[in-house]
Amino acid sequence: MKIGYKLIAEGFGPQDLVRQAVRAEQAGFDFVEMSDHFHPWVEAQGHSPFVWNVLSAIAAKTSTLGLATGVTCPSVRYHPAIIAQAAATLALLSDGRFTLGVGSGERLNEHIVGRGFPGVHERHAMFDEALDIIRLLWQGGYQNYDGTYLKLEDARIFDLPDVLPTMAVAVSGPDSIALAAEHGDGLFAVEPKEELVSGYRAAGGTGPLYCEAPLAWATTEAAAVTAAHTTNAWSVAGWKVLAELPNPVNFEAAAATVREDDIREQFACGPDVERHLEVIGAFTDAGFDHVALMNAGPDPDGFFDFFEKELLPRLTTS
């Protein structure tokens, strides 16, 4: 099992995210994973830097730490040719440490370019074409593509790594599982559902299985719950809601009825190592082997100390 650290791009500026990644490598994390957002989920988070700049800076300041997008939508805000080039470049800059996590996107980030955000069936079809284009360009040479939604004309990526990045495809149900098995080298999910793993394997999918475990470390449970409720109450709503809302104000409205008890149920809150192991164990028991720890607590440096001294020794002996 590989243990990762979720860089919360919506909660910290770019310099702090790079600093946290360096500290994560020192603390013993295997990889860091970072979302590719244009907006934060809620205004209280207050940040959303460009993931490709931040990960490139991290690649230059670390030596063993894996890097991953968690996840990028390559079909609306970006053309997939741009993502294919960006991923190839980052793979070279990181000496092969980069994993391209991709998904069909959220309205929150994709509507900003004024192309609209289609319904789930159409955006899966667009996503399918986008993954075709990325794979075409990674073959080398000049490529063309004439799809229903996306096109490519005489495009070539001149700087390709000898070993292409792993591409982990985000899944939430049967349609996305089929896409992941067809196009991906791995899977990415945010729920500890064994059926996502087994469905992917049954469809012929191989490779690493990425997920995010929701934690909130603080010296007291109350402080952890308050922090997570302030910045992450929206996450309780579930993916069918999260993919569709357009702006932070809408996520704030959707989270208005979320109680602190709802946060306690979903997140491991506070300093109790057993509770953190319980939440992480739900994902490992479901079959995930690359677990990114998402700390929604108020003190990232305190969390790194907790991880290094208390959590990591338990994870490596369990």
Side-chain angles (χ1 to χ4, degrees):
M1 180 175 66
K2 300 293 185 182
I3 301 296
Y5 177 71
K6 175 65 181 283
L7 292 165
I8 302 181
E10 302 79 26
F12 300 95
Q15 296 96 331
D16 202 5
L17 292 169
V18 174
R19 183 192 67 81
Q20 289 182 33
V22 171
R23 180 70 181 91
E25 183 176 63
Q26 295 168 347
F29 281 98
D30 298 303
F31 67 95
V32 292
E33 173 243 308
M34 181 175 166
S35 58
D36 186 351
H37 277 202
F38 194 86
H39 291 145
W41 297 101
V42 292
E43 295 282 349
Q45 292 179 308
H47 295 277
S48 198
F50 190 49
V51 63
W52 299 97
N53 292 97
V54 176
L55 289 180
S56 294
I58 292 169
K61 289 181 175 291
T62 58
S63 57
T64 62
L65 194 68
L67 314 171
T69 49
V71 293
T72 288
C73 174
S75 54
V76 182
R77 178 169 40 118
Y78 302 117
H79 189 281
I82 304 303
I83 298 304
Q85 183 187 36
T89 299
L90 188 48
L92 289 166
L93 288 172
S94 64
D95 296 320
R97 291 183 280 138
F98 176 63
T99 293
L100 176 63
V102 289
S104 58
E106 306 101 12
R107 190 181 303 274
L108 173 69
N109 306 297
E110 307 308 318
H111 83 278
I112 59 113
V113 294
R115 294 180 56 198
F117 189 65
V120 63
H121 177 77
E122 184 174 333
R123 66 179 180 257
H124 277 165
M126 290 178 64
F127 185 43
D128 193 343
E129 292 187 3
L131 300 184
D132 278 340
I133 289 172
I134 291 171
R135 289 296 188 195
L136 267 179
L137 288 168
W138 283 357
Q139 291 175 13
Y142 287 93
Q143 300 290 348
N144 292 273
Y145 187 89
D146 187 16
T148 302
Y149 304 98
L150 297 168
K151 300 185 186 301
L152 185 73
E153 183 178 347
D154 294 339
R156 175 186 171 189
I157 296 175
F158 277 80
D159 290 288
L160 284 171
D162 292 334
V163 178
L164 294 169
T166 294
M167 185 157 65
V169 179
V171 304
S172 58
D175 290 343
S176 52
I177 286 173
L179 284 177
E182 179 182 358
H183 293 288
D185 308 303
L187 172 148
F188 192 101
V190 295
E191 297 176 289
K193 293 182 176 179
E194 187 276 334
E195 60 264 31
L196 299 177
V197 172
S198 60
Y200 175 68
R201 294 300 193 211
T206 60
L209 305 165
Y210 283 83
C211 65
E212 294 178 1
L215 314 177
W217 182 88
T219 55
T220 67
E221 182 190 39
V225 171
T226 297
H229 188 263
T230 300
T231 59
N232 282 266
W234 53 269
S235 65
V236 176
W239 197 250
K240 289 185 182 298
V241 173
L242 303 186
E244 302 298 341
L245 300 180
N247 289 304
V249 66
N250 305 109
F251 282 89
E252 289 163 7
T257 60
V258 175
R259 306 163 303 160
E260 289 194 345
D261 282 346
D262 298 321
I263 295 296
R264 287 187 180 90
E265 183 176 339
Q266 181 165 313
F267 287 77
C269 294
D272 182 5
V273 68
E274 297 299 334
R275 174 60 178 149
H276 288 266
L277 290 169
E278 179 184 5
V279 170
I280 295 166
F283 289 90
T284 57
D285 289 348
F288 292 95
D289 54 24
H290 283 61
V291 184
L293 309 185
M294 188 191 80
N295 172 41
D299 179 7
D301 292 298
F303 175 74
F304 285 128
D305 290 339
F306 167 73
F307 173 79
E308 193 171 12
K309 296 173 183 177
E310 298 188 53
L311 190 54
L312 181 58
R314 293 290 300 277
L315 288 169
T316 53
T317 57
S318 59

PDB file of all heavy atoms in Angstrom, residues 294-318:
ATOM      1  N   MET A 294      -6.589  13.124   3.281  1.00  0.00           N
ATOM      2  CA  MET A 294      -7.038  14.505   3.131  1.00  0.00           C
ATOM      3  C   MET A 294      -7.312  15.089   4.506  1.00  0.00           C
ATOM      4  O   MET A 294      -8.299  14.760   5.146  1.00  0.00           O
ATOM      5  CB  MET A 294      -8.303  14.579   2.271  1.00  0.00           C
ATOM      6  CG  MET A 294      -8.687  16.012   1.941  1.00  0.00           C
ATOM      7  SD  MET A 294     -10.332  16.151   1.206  1.00  0.00           S
ATOM      8  CE  MET A 294     -11.351  16.039   2.670  1.00  0.00           C
ATOM      9  N   ASN A 295      -6.408  15.953   4.965  1.00  0.00           N
ATOM     10  CA  ASN A 295      -6.549  16.533   6.296  1.00  0.00           C
ATOM     11  C   ASN A 295      -7.311  17.849   6.216  1.00  0.00           C
ATOM     12  O   ASN A 295      -6.781  18.856   5.748  1.00  0.00           O
ATOM     13  CB  ASN A 295      -5.172  16.769   6.914  1.00  0.00           C
ATOM     14  CG  ASN A 295      -5.260  17.542   8.214  1.00  0.00           C
ATOM     15  OD1 ASN A 295      -6.154  17.299   9.023  1.00  0.00           O
ATOM     16  ND2 ASN A 295      -4.356  18.482   8.405  1.00  0.00           N
ATOM     17  N   ALA A 296      -8.554  17.844   6.699  1.00  0.00           N
ATOM     18  CA  ALA A 296      -9.367  19.061   6.730  1.00  0.00           C
ATOM     19  C   ALA A 296      -9.240  19.790   8.063  1.00  0.00           C
ATOM     20  O   ALA A 296     -10.011  20.710   8.337  1.00  0.00           O
ATOM     21  CB  ALA A 296     -10.834  18.707   6.475  1.00  0.00           C
ATOM     22  N   GLY A 297      -8.266  19.403   8.871  1.00  0.00           N
ATOM     23  CA  GLY A 297      -8.044  20.063  10.140  1.00  0.00           C
ATOM     24  C   GLY A 297      -7.350  21.402   9.972  1.00  0.00           C
ATOM     25  O   GLY A 297      -6.911  21.761   8.875  1.00  0.00           O
ATOM     26  N   PRO A 298      -7.196  22.157  11.073  1.00  0.00           N
ATOM     27  CA  PRO A 298      -6.704  23.532  10.986  1.00  0.00           C
ATOM     28  C   PRO A 298      -5.192  23.676  10.973  1.00  0.00           C
ATOM     29  O   PRO A 298      -4.681  24.782  10.783  1.00  0.00           O
ATOM     30  CB  PRO A 298      -7.276  24.163  12.263  1.00  0.00           C
ATOM     31  CG  PRO A 298      -7.310  23.035  13.246  1.00  0.00           C
ATOM     32  CD  PRO A 298      -7.655  21.813  12.434  1.00  0.00           C
ATOM     33  N   ASP A 299      -4.437  22.568  11.158  1.00  0.00           N
ATOM     34  CA  ASP A 299      -2.998  22.670  11.392  1.00  0.00           C
ATOM     35  C   ASP A 299      -2.250  21.615  10.581  1.00  0.00           C
ATOM     36  O   ASP A 299      -2.006  20.508  11.066  1.00  0.00           O
ATOM     37  CB  ASP A 299      -2.723  22.492  12.895  1.00  0.00           C
ATOM     38  CG  ASP A 299      -1.248  22.562  13.244  1.00  0.00           C
ATOM     39  OD1 ASP A 299      -0.430  22.875  12.366  1.00  0.00           O
ATOM     40  OD2 ASP A 299      -0.919  22.288  14.419  1.00  0.00           O
ATOM     41  N   PRO A 300      -1.856  21.916   9.346  1.00  0.00           N
ATOM     42  CA  PRO A 300      -1.169  20.899   8.540  1.00  0.00           C
ATOM     43  C   PRO A 300       0.153  20.444   9.143  1.00  0.00           C
ATOM     44  O   PRO A 300       0.502  19.262   9.057  1.00  0.00           O
ATOM     45  CB  PRO A 300      -0.972  21.585   7.185  1.00  0.00           C
ATOM     46  CG  PRO A 300      -1.191  23.030   7.409  1.00  0.00           C
ATOM     47  CD  PRO A 300      -2.103  23.144   8.573  1.00  0.00           C
ATOM     48  N   ASP A 301       0.889  21.346   9.784  1.00  0.00           N
ATOM     49  CA  ASP A 301       2.172  20.946  10.355  1.00  0.00           C
ATOM     50  C   ASP A 301       1.978  20.008  11.549  1.00  0.00           C
ATOM     51  O   ASP A 301       2.744  19.056  11.727  1.00  0.00           O
ATOM     52  CB  ASP A 301       2.971  22.182  10.754  1.00  0.00           C
ATOM     53  CG  ASP A 301       3.418  22.973   9.537  1.00  0.00           C
ATOM     54  OD1 ASP A 301       4.176  22.416   8.728  1.00  0.00           O
ATOM     55  OD2 ASP A 301       2.981  24.126   9.376  1.00  0.00           O
ATOM     56  N   GLY A 302       0.958  20.275  12.353  1.00  0.00           N
ATOM     57  CA  GLY A 302       0.627  19.353  13.432  1.00  0.00           C
ATOM     58  C   GLY A 302       0.239  17.994  12.894  1.00  0.00           C
ATOM     59  O   GLY A 302       0.586  16.947  13.477  1.00  0.00           O
ATOM     60  N   PHE A 303      -0.490  17.985  11.765  1.00  0.00           N
ATOM     61  CA  PHE A 303      -0.876  16.711  11.159  1.00  0.00           C
ATOM     62  C   PHE A 303       0.347  15.936  10.682  1.00  0.00           C
ATOM     63  O   PHE A 303       0.422  14.711  10.847  1.00  0.00           O
ATOM     64  CB  PHE A 303      -1.838  16.942   9.998  1.00  0.00           C
ATOM     65  CG  PHE A 303      -2.182  15.685   9.244  1.00  0.00           C
ATOM     66  CD1 PHE A 303      -3.034  14.741   9.792  1.00  0.00           C
ATOM     67  CD2 PHE A 303      -1.639  15.436   7.990  1.00  0.00           C
ATOM     68  CE1 PHE A 303      -3.341  13.565   9.116  1.00  0.00           C
ATOM     69  CE2 PHE A 303      -1.944  14.273   7.302  1.00  0.00           C
ATOM     70  CZ  PHE A 303      -2.799  13.333   7.865  1.00  0.00           C
ATOM     71  N   PHE A 304       1.329  16.631  10.084  1.00  0.00           N
ATOM     72  CA  PHE A 304       2.539  15.940   9.636  1.00  0.00           C
ATOM     73  C   PHE A 304       3.257  15.289  10.814  1.00  0.00           C
ATOM     74  O   PHE A 304       3.730  14.148  10.710  1.00  0.00           O
ATOM     75  CB  PHE A 304       3.481  16.915   8.914  1.00  0.00           C
ATOM     76  CG  PHE A 304       3.035  17.280   7.531  1.00  0.00           C
ATOM     77  CD1 PHE A 304       2.927  18.614   7.155  1.00  0.00           C
ATOM     78  CD2 PHE A 304       2.728  16.312   6.595  1.00  0.00           C
ATOM     79  CE1 PHE A 304       2.514  18.960   5.876  1.00  0.00           C
ATOM     80  CE2 PHE A 304       2.310  16.639   5.318  1.00  0.00           C
ATOM     81  CZ  PHE A 304       2.204  17.975   4.957  1.00  0.00           C
ATOM     82  N   ASP A 305       3.351  15.987  11.940  1.00  0.00           N
ATOM     83  CA  ASP A 305       3.979  15.405  13.125  1.00  0.00           C
ATOM     84  C   ASP A 305       3.198  14.188  13.614  1.00  0.00           C
ATOM     85  O   ASP A 305       3.782  13.155  13.968  1.00  0.00           O
ATOM     86  CB  ASP A 305       4.055  16.450  14.244  1.00  0.00           C
ATOM     87  CG  ASP A 305       5.052  17.561  13.942  1.00  0.00           C
ATOM     88  OD1 ASP A 305       5.947  17.347  13.104  1.00  0.00           O
ATOM     89  OD2 ASP A 305       4.915  18.651  14.544  1.00  0.00           O
ATOM     90  N   PHE A 306       1.874  14.302  13.645  1.00  0.00           N
ATOM     91  CA  PHE A 306       1.010  13.184  14.048  1.00  0.00           C
ATOM     92  C   PHE A 306       1.196  11.995  13.112  1.00  0.00           C
ATOM     93  O   PHE A 306       1.315  10.842  13.561  1.00  0.00           O
ATOM     94  CB  PHE A 306      -0.439  13.658  14.048  1.00  0.00           C
ATOM     95  CG  PHE A 306      -1.466  12.564  14.135  1.00  0.00           C
ATOM     96  CD1 PHE A 306      -1.691  11.874  15.319  1.00  0.00           C
ATOM     97  CD2 PHE A 306      -2.238  12.231  13.016  1.00  0.00           C
ATOM     98  CE1 PHE A 306      -2.642  10.866  15.398  1.00  0.00           C
ATOM     99  CE2 PHE A 306      -3.186  11.231  13.084  1.00  0.00           C
ATOM    100  CZ  PHE A 306      -3.396  10.538  14.270  1.00  0.00           C
ATOM    101  N   PHE A 307       1.244  12.265  11.823  1.00  0.00           N
ATOM    102  CA  PHE A 307       1.419  11.185  10.846  1.00  0.00           C
ATOM    103  C   PHE A 307       2.756  10.481  11.056  1.00  0.00           C
ATOM    104  O   PHE A 307       2.819   9.243  11.115  1.00  0.00           O
ATOM    105  CB  PHE A 307       1.340  11.738   9.425  1.00  0.00           C
ATOM    106  CG  PHE A 307       1.685  10.734   8.359  1.00  0.00           C
ATOM    107  CD1 PHE A 307       0.760   9.788   7.953  1.00  0.00           C
ATOM    108  CD2 PHE A 307       2.951  10.716   7.778  1.00  0.00           C
ATOM    109  CE1 PHE A 307       1.085   8.839   6.988  1.00  0.00           C
ATOM    110  CE2 PHE A 307       3.276   9.780   6.813  1.00  0.00           C
ATOM    111  CZ  PHE A 307       2.338   8.839   6.410  1.00  0.00           C
ATOM    112  N   GLU A 308       3.820  11.280  11.172  1.00  0.00           N
ATOM    113  CA  GLU A 308       5.156  10.720  11.257  1.00  0.00           C
ATOM    114  C   GLU A 308       5.361   9.909  12.532  1.00  0.00           C
ATOM    115  O   GLU A 308       5.957   8.821  12.507  1.00  0.00           O
ATOM    116  CB  GLU A 308       6.166  11.861  11.189  1.00  0.00           C
ATOM    117  CG  GLU A 308       7.601  11.451  10.956  1.00  0.00           C
ATOM    118  CD  GLU A 308       8.502  12.639  10.676  1.00  0.00           C
ATOM    119  OE1 GLU A 308       8.072  13.796  10.882  1.00  0.00           O
ATOM    120  OE2 GLU A 308       9.643  12.407  10.239  1.00  0.00           O
ATOM    121  N   LYS A 309       4.845  10.399  13.661  1.00  0.00           N
ATOM    122  CA  LYS A 309       5.122   9.783  14.957  1.00  0.00           C
ATOM    123  C   LYS A 309       4.112   8.722  15.360  1.00  0.00           C
ATOM    124  O   LYS A 309       4.463   7.743  16.044  1.00  0.00           O
ATOM    125  CB  LYS A 309       5.176  10.869  16.033  1.00  0.00           C
ATOM    126  CG  LYS A 309       6.308  11.863  15.839  1.00  0.00           C
ATOM    127  CD  LYS A 309       6.208  13.013  16.830  1.00  0.00           C
ATOM    128  CE  LYS A 309       7.294  14.052  16.593  1.00  0.00           C
ATOM    129  NZ  LYS A 309       7.164  15.225  17.501  1.00  0.00           N
ATOM    130  N   GLU A 310       2.849   8.901  14.953  1.00  0.00           N
ATOM    131  CA  GLU A 310       1.809   8.002  15.453  1.00  0.00           C
ATOM    132  C   GLU A 310       1.121   7.181  14.363  1.00  0.00           C
ATOM    133  O   GLU A 310       0.931   5.970  14.516  1.00  0.00           O
ATOM    134  CB  GLU A 310       0.746   8.807  16.220  1.00  0.00           C
ATOM    135  CG  GLU A 310       1.279   9.520  17.454  1.00  0.00           C
ATOM    136  CD  GLU A 310       0.162  10.138  18.267  1.00  0.00           C
ATOM    137  OE1 GLU A 310      -0.796   9.412  18.609  1.00  0.00           O
ATOM    138  OE2 GLU A 310       0.230  11.353  18.517  1.00  0.00           O
ATOM    139  N   LEU A 311       0.741   7.838  13.261  1.00  0.00           N
ATOM    140  CA  LEU A 311      -0.080   7.152  12.269  1.00  0.00           C
ATOM    141  C   LEU A 311       0.741   6.248  11.357  1.00  0.00           C
ATOM    142  O   LEU A 311       0.370   5.091  11.121  1.00  0.00           O
ATOM    143  CB  LEU A 311      -0.855   8.196  11.461  1.00  0.00           C
ATOM    144  CG  LEU A 311      -1.959   7.685  10.535  1.00  0.00           C
ATOM    145  CD1 LEU A 311      -2.954   6.816  11.294  1.00  0.00           C
ATOM    146  CD2 LEU A 311      -2.682   8.872   9.886  1.00  0.00           C
ATOM    147  N   LEU A 312       1.837   6.752  10.816  1.00  0.00           N
ATOM    148  CA  LEU A 312       2.646   5.946   9.891  1.00  0.00           C
ATOM    149  C   LEU A 312       3.154   4.655  10.524  1.00  0.00           C
ATOM    150  O   LEU A 312       3.074   3.593   9.879  1.00  0.00           O
ATOM    151  CB  LEU A 312       3.810   6.781   9.348  1.00  0.00           C
ATOM    152  CG  LEU A 312       4.728   6.072   8.347  1.00  0.00           C
ATOM    153  CD1 LEU A 312       3.946   5.578   7.133  1.00  0.00           C
ATOM    154  CD2 LEU A 312       5.869   6.999   7.919  1.00  0.00           C
ATOM    155  N   PRO A 313       3.675   4.677  11.763  1.00  0.00           N
ATOM    156  CA  PRO A 313       4.113   3.395  12.355  1.00  0.00           C
ATOM    157  C   PRO A 313       2.987   2.370  12.447  1.00  0.00           C
ATOM    158  O   PRO A 313       3.243   1.159  12.253  1.00  0.00           O
ATOM    159  CB  PRO A 313       4.602   3.815  13.753  1.00  0.00           C
ATOM    160  CG  PRO A 313       5.008   5.242  13.608  1.00  0.00           C
ATOM    161  CD  PRO A 313       4.023   5.823  12.644  1.00  0.00           C
ATOM    162  N   ARG A 314       1.782   2.806  12.706  1.00  0.00           N
ATOM    163  CA  ARG A 314       0.656   1.882  12.778  1.00  0.00           C
ATOM    164  C   ARG A 314       0.280   1.369  11.396  1.00  0.00           C
ATOM    165  O   ARG A 314      -0.109   0.212  11.217  1.00  0.00           O
ATOM    166  CB  ARG A 314      -0.529   2.569  13.448  1.00  0.00           C
ATOM    167  CG  ARG A 314      -0.303   2.901  14.915  1.00  0.00           C
ATOM    168  CD  ARG A 314      -0.274   1.632  15.781  1.00  0.00           C
ATOM    169  NE  ARG A 314      -1.526   0.893  15.679  1.00  0.00           N
ATOM    170  CZ  ARG A 314      -2.618   1.165  16.377  1.00  0.00           C
ATOM    171  NH1 ARG A 314      -2.618   2.179  17.258  1.00  0.00           N
ATOM    172  NH2 ARG A 314      -3.708   0.454  16.235  1.00  0.00           N
ATOM    173  N   LEU A 315       0.337   2.247  10.403  1.00  0.00           N
ATOM    174  CA  LEU A 315      -0.032   1.841   9.049  1.00  0.00           C
ATOM    175  C   LEU A 315       0.963   0.841   8.460  1.00  0.00           C
ATOM    176  O   LEU A 315       0.594  -0.056   7.707  1.00  0.00           O
ATOM    177  CB  LEU A 315      -0.122   3.068   8.137  1.00  0.00           C
ATOM    178  CG  LEU A 315      -1.315   3.993   8.379  1.00  0.00           C
ATOM    179  CD1 LEU A 315      -1.130   5.293   7.601  1.00  0.00           C
ATOM    180  CD2 LEU A 315      -2.605   3.314   7.971  1.00  0.00           C
ATOM    181  N   THR A 316       2.225   0.981   8.803  1.00  0.00           N
ATOM    182  CA  THR A 316       3.247   0.106   8.238  1.00  0.00           C
ATOM    183  C   THR A 316       3.359  -1.232   8.970  1.00  0.00           C
ATOM    184  O   THR A 316       4.006  -2.152   8.479  1.00  0.00           O
ATOM    185  CB  THR A 316       4.627   0.797   8.257  1.00  0.00           C
ATOM    186  OG1 THR A 316       4.909   1.265   9.582  1.00  0.00           O
ATOM    187  CG2 THR A 316       4.642   1.968   7.293  1.00  0.00           C
ATOM    188  N   THR A 317       2.713  -1.336  10.123  1.00  0.00           N
ATOM    189  CA  THR A 317       2.749  -2.610  10.858  1.00  0.00           C
ATOM    190  C   THR A 317       1.419  -3.342  10.824  1.00  0.00           C
ATOM    191  O   THR A 317       1.348  -4.492  11.258  1.00  0.00           O
ATOM    192  CB  THR A 317       3.132  -2.376  12.340  1.00  0.00           C
ATOM    193  OG1 THR A 317       2.192  -1.458  12.941  1.00  0.00           O
ATOM    194  CG2 THR A 317       4.533  -1.817  12.446  1.00  0.00           C
ATOM    195  N   SER A 318       0.368  -2.662  10.304  1.00  0.00           N
ATOM    196  CA  SER A 318      -0.954  -3.304  10.295  1.00  0.00           C
ATOM    197  C   SER A 318      -1.122  -4.185   9.068  1.00  0.00           C
ATOM    198  O   SER A 318      -0.372  -4.114   8.123  1.00  0.00           O
ATOM    199  CB  SER A 318      -2.046  -2.232  10.304  1.00  0.00           C
ATOM    200  OG  SER A 318      -1.932  -1.372   9.196  1.00  0.00           O
TER     201      SER A 318
END
